[in-house]
Amino acid sequence: MSRPNYFIGIRLNSPGFYAAMAAMQSLLVQKYPSLSKCLVPLEKLHLTCFVMNLSSQEEIQSACSIFDASRGFIAEKMSKLASKSLSFSRVDVFPTKVIFTSPDECETMDALRDITLHLKQIFQQHSLWSDDNHIDWTPHVTIAKTSADRRNGRKLK
């Protein structure tokens, strides 16, 4: 299986979300100062729906077209979520590389699952995603990437 190099994500950009994530990142850095260079900037935070490997320019263009064709469906689902919220209450890690938070179960997550499932099915129909090659969806927001500090020659534990 090739390593994922692209993802589909939903930008989370409410002021309350930014404030909560800034507070979470601040607590992480207070406890582990070496993570300060690993934080994901607030304006780049998103809920990852799924990852995939796109190995050619044709696959990338096809993925963009598929996503563009799905914008109506996504917009309709997202408009129903305008007054809804997500809450995050735990921090976890994907082995030594990513520190993330997952949303708590709620009605909003059900709608986001519908969007993710819809997109996965369409990408699968176009042979750009396969259940056989990917792990189950772990809805998450990456708050720090320890690999960001490895580029500077430091390894974090």
Side-chain angles (χ1 to χ4, degrees), residues 92-109:
D92 207 342
V93 295
F94 291 130
T96 70
K97 294 183 182 178
V98 174
I99 300 168
F100 68 93
T101 183
S102 291
D104 298 329
E105 286 302 320
C106 63
E107 179 184 344
T108 304
M109 278 308 302

Side-chain angles (χ1 to χ4, degrees), residues 76-104:
E76 179 184 328
K77 287 282 189 183
M78 293 300 284
S79 70
K80 295 176 183 174
L81 299 177
S83 63
K84 305 288 184 190
S85 64
L86 284 175
S87 60
F88 298 84
S89 59
R90 61 194 174 282
V91 175
D92 207 342
V93 295
F94 291 130
T96 70
K97 294 183 182 178
V98 174
I99 300 168
F100 68 93
T101 183
S102 291
D104 298 329

Side-chain angles (χ1 to χ4, degrees), residues 36-124:
S36 65
K37 294 180 180 176
C38 303
L39 300 177
V40 174
L42 294 176
E43 65 276 4
K44 291 189 175 191
L45 294 176
H46 60 274
L47 182 75
T48 300
C49 293
F50 62 94
V51 296
M52 66 195 125
N53 180 278
L54 302 177
S55 57
S56 70
Q57 193 60 38
E58 291 163 346
E59 286 183 343
I60 295 167
Q61 290 172 342
S62 180
C64 289
S65 295
I66 292 166
F67 189 77
D68 285 342
S70 298
R71 284 186 190 271
F73 174 84
I74 295 167
E76 179 184 328
K77 287 282 189 183
M78 293 300 284
S79 70
K80 295 176 183 174
L81 299 177
S83 63
K84 305 288 184 190
S85 64
L86 284 175
S87 60
F88 298 84
S89 59
R90 61 194 174 282
V91 175
D92 207 342
V93 295
F94 291 130
T96 70
K97 294 183 182 178
V98 174
I99 300 168
F100 68 93
T101 183
S102 291
D104 298 329
E105 286 302 320
C106 63
E107 179 184 344
T108 304
M109 278 308 302
D110 292 339
L112 294 174
R113 268 191 197 82
D114 288 347
I115 292 169
T116 298
L117 180 60
H118 173 81
L119 289 171
K120 279 182 177 179
Q121 289 171 340
I122 294 172
F123 275 75
Q124 192 167 27

